[in-house]
Amino acid sequence: MPATEYHLGLLKAKLAKYRTQLMEPTGKSGPKGEGFDVMKSGDARCALIGFPSVGKSTLLNVVTETHSESASYEFTTLTCIPGVIEHNGAKIQLLDLPGIIEGASQGKGRGRQVIAVARTADLVIIMLDATKSDVQRVLLEKELETVGIRLNKKRPNIYFKIKKGGGLSFNSTVPLTKCSERLVQLILHEYKLFNCEVLFREDCTADEFIDVIVGNRVYLPCIYVYNKIDQISIEEVDRLAHEPHSVVVSCNMKLNLDYLIEKMWEYLALVRVYTKKRGERPDFEGGLILRRGCTVEHVCHAIHRTIVDTFKYALVWGTSAKYSPQNVGLQHLMNHDDVIQVVKK
């Protein structure tokens, strides 16, 4: 590994460290301002982020019953306005946030509060103006990266534990091409960590390793929504629609909004499970909304927390069962639109 890479790795660690110090308010804080945070409600929460006047409030007005003031001047929205989308029986809370400007992560234009709300969401929707250049996408990504929000990335598969003594024990289960033991040691020294255990389970970069040490990073799915496609050529629309994680819409002409809501459902990884009592038809009115990858145990907890203790077996109808109905235990994975009947001891 060339010497310059070590130097860069060290500088990255220093940068990350100083950045965290910058973010933390020092000294006496003034009187508390009005916070943005809204009570979490519904089954999932989406935050709308974008520059001023790209159509965030218009989107909220069109897809939800809520009214958010929208006009053709910047910063019409000044606080956080929540709305609710009902889709597949789930209530998805959509937060309309004020537009953020360049330098928001340093606190410009109340950017800090806006981004703090985004950290609590389950999905970030970045609204972009299709009539403007691609630079806005890069700028917004940079602002969110700075405050530790990682978009459409997986958490690095690195095991990291601080110990009382015994120095650094370093291991990897895969050949490392982007990082080495010496670089890891240098980065840890920068954070004054000398006794710890590090295990790389995948080939990660120095940046990802720093993310693991700092530990306050949030990994969120993100959809880029290009608004105002009624004002650009069809070739341009086609190009934008083929960008990764992108959806093109027009809020004024109400184009492609149903596809956007479908995409939101997919990115939120939600599934709906119906319950059924013995000898009765399934209750298709009220389904339980859970996350993809949920097991029968999760379903039991969603019904009532004491059910697991008296659980005997469950009968499952639907795509997750090999045959209908299938007798399953607590660890069986549920799919979307499955029907479950829990049998107690």
Side-chain angles (χ1 to χ4, degrees):
M1 211 177 190
T4 44
E5 282 195 30
Y6 282 113
H7 189 61
L8 283 174
L10 260 181
L11 290 178
K12 279 175 182 166
K14 281 191 168 135
L15 256 173
K17 196 171 149 193
Y18 295 142
R19 199 171 277 154
T20 342
Q21 286 169 4
L22 266 178
M23 291 293 161
E24 284 164 3
T26 51
K28 292 188 182 122
S29 59
K32 276 255 175 14
E34 265 295 292
F36 273 169
D37 213 13
V38 176
M39 175 85 173
K40 215 169 186 175
S41 73
D43 301 294
R45 177 180 222 182
C46 302
L48 280 172
I49 284 187
F51 287 116
S53 261
V54 290
K56 297 185 292 297
S57 301
T58 317
L59 178 72
L60 186 86
N61 292 340
V62 172
V63 295
T64 70
E65 306 287 297
T66 323
H67 176 68
S68 174
E69 198 58 46
S70 59
S72 56
Y73 56 89
E74 299 189 339
F75 295 110
T76 323
T77 311
L78 294 172
T79 60
C80 173
I81 296 173
V84 175
I85 302 173
E86 292 214 6
H87 181 65
N88 280 349
K91 287 186 166 62
I92 301 169
Q93 186 181 33
L94 191 62
L95 300 180
D96 175 23
L97 294 163
I100 61 176
I101 49 178
E102 220 178 319
S105 51
Q106 277 84 46
K108 269 192 196 163
R110 297 195 78 179
R112 282 240 184 112
Q113 286 108 311
V114 175
I115 293 173
V117 175
R119 280 178 80 101
T120 65
D122 301 305
L123 168 70
V124 174
I125 294 177
I126 290 187
M127 288 286 282
L128 301 162
D129 190 336
T131 57
K132 298 204 171 93
S133 68
D134 283 349
V135 73
Q136 22 168 9
R137 180 167 175 162
V138 182
L139 284 173
L140 282 169
E141 278 172 357
K142 203 168 116 200
E143 291 297 333
L144 294 178
E145 284 272 319
T146 314
V147 292
I149 296 176
R150 302 283 176 261
L151 301 175
N152 291 328
K153 281 184 188 163
K154 278 205 176 88
R155 197 176 290 277
N157 196 351
I158 301 174
Y159 171 77
F160 171 70
K161 189 181 180 190
I162 299 171
K163 295 190 300 193
K164 289 279 192 306
L168 167 70
S169 90
F170 176 85
N171 259 321
S172 64
T173 55
V174 287
L176 299 180
T177 56
K178 306 167 191 163
C179 210
S180 72
E181 183 169 357
R182 188 171 149 228
L183 182 52
V184 165
Q185 208 168 356
L186 288 171
I187 291 172
L188 287 167
H189 278 209
E190 189 53 49
Y191 279 93
K192 300 198 169 48
L193 296 168
F194 303 103
N195 303 311
C196 48
E197 205 175 326
V198 178
L199 171 63
F200 275 70
R201 295 201 186 96
E202 61 184 8
D203 192 5
C204 293
T205 59
D207 283 335
E208 290 174 318
F209 180 58
I210 293 168
D211 281 352
V212 172
I213 301 174
V214 178
N216 61 355
R217 305 294 190 232
V218 190
Y219 295 85
L220 296 176
C222 168
I223 302 177
Y224 300 92
V225 177
Y226 288 92
N227 188 20
K228 309 186 185 178
I229 55 165
D230 47 310
Q231 297 172 19
I232 56 173
S233 67
I234 191 80
E235 291 81 22
E236 186 67 2
V237 173
D238 192 48
R239 185 184 71 79
L240 292 174
H242 282 89
E243 294 273 315
H245 311 292
S246 302
V247 177
V248 287
V249 299
S250 165
C251 294
N252 275 349
M253 315 263 290
K254 297 189 172 57
L255 300 175
N256 209 20
L257 293 171
D258 42 359
Y259 177 68
L260 170 63
I261 293 174
E262 278 296 324
K263 268 276 177 242
M264 281 165 65
W265 177 269
E266 185 189 316
Y267 274 69
L268 283 165
L270 295 173
V271 292
R272 178 177 50 183
V273 175
Y274 297 111
T275 53
K276 171 187 178 315
K277 287 182 181 168
R278 191 167 168 186
E280 291 179 25
R281 293 186 70 78
D283 172 23
F284 286 128
E285 292 304 307
L288 299 170
I289 304 294
L290 299 149
R291 291 294 150 115
R292 197 181 300 143
C294 65
T295 60
V296 172
E297 192 171 352
H298 291 119
V299 177
C300 291
H301 279 302
I303 301 168
H304 197 272
R305 64 177 188 277
T306 58
I307 287 190
V308 176
D309 307 329
T310 57
F311 178 89
K312 191 176 178 188
Y313 65 90
L315 295 170
V316 173
W317 291 257
T319 50
S320 73
K322 291 191 179 90
Y323 41 84
S324 290
Q326 184 183 348
N327 272 21
V328 295
L330 283 174
Q331 296 312 313
H332 175 78
L333 287 175
M334 302 295 288
N335 285 359
H336 184 50
D337 278 347
D338 278 1
V339 175
I340 183 171
Q341 174 188 329
V342 176
V343 179
K344 296 202 279 191
K345 284 174 187 154

